[in-house]
Amino acid sequence: MDMLNVLPSNFGYAIFTYLYSWIMLGYLAVKVGGARKKFDVKYPTMYSDTHQVFNCIQRAHQNTLEVYAQWLVFQTIAALVYPLSAAVLGAIWVTSRFSYAWGYYTGDPSKRMYGAYGYIGFFGVIFLSISVALQLLGVY
């Protein structure tokens, strides 16, 4: 069975969203690496006892990784039936992770909330996934 015949025609947009998320994760990882050098935080130390800004940079990356697997699952389920909507919602979530990180990078953890609009994208794909589940169960 040819995958191009199984997936919805607009699924390519979702794939671009995955690629965008890969770029975002790489960016956050590079920022942590740079902060390790700048603040002299050696591996395997995760957080610094003396450098709050390093901790904020590390935490922005770590928090993104903590929710990334969940986002991937819901993004994929949603995109199988609603590829364009899922791609837009996914792009909102990925973009919000940049805003979240940039706010956190200031050293003031409250500024991470600049990325709070990402909940639109995150919960959006969850709701679409629920819709897909209900359709598969014949509820509607």
Side-chain angles (χ1 to χ4, degrees), residues 66-139:
E66 289 167 2
V67 297
Y68 188 68
Q70 299 162 41
W71 173 78
L72 281 174
V73 169
F74 292 120
Q75 178 71 17
T76 301
I77 293 168
L80 288 171
V81 177
Y82 305 104
L84 191 55
S85 296
V88 169
L89 291 167
I92 290 169
W93 183 78
V94 174
T95 302
S96 79
R97 299 315 293 185
F98 284 109
S99 300
Y100 174 88
W102 294 331
Y104 228 152
Y105 293 170
T106 66
D108 178 356
S110 68
K111 291 183 179 176
R112 74 189 190 286
M113 297 311 294
Y114 294 163
Y117 65 91
Y119 287 114
I120 295 166
F122 191 77
F123 288 121
V125 294
I126 291 172
F127 289 130
L128 289 180
S129 295
I130 292 168
S131 174
V132 170
L134 293 173
Q135 289 175 61
L136 286 169
L137 294 171
V139 176

Side-chain angles (χ1 to χ4, degrees), residues 19-41:
L19 293 170
Y20 181 36
S21 75
W22 175 72
I23 291 166
M24 176 267 300
L25 284 178
Y27 172 82
L28 297 181
V30 166
K31 293 299 278 187
V32 172
R36 281 190 176 282
K37 287 181 183 177
K38 178 178 180 181
F39 296 107
D40 195 36
V41 178

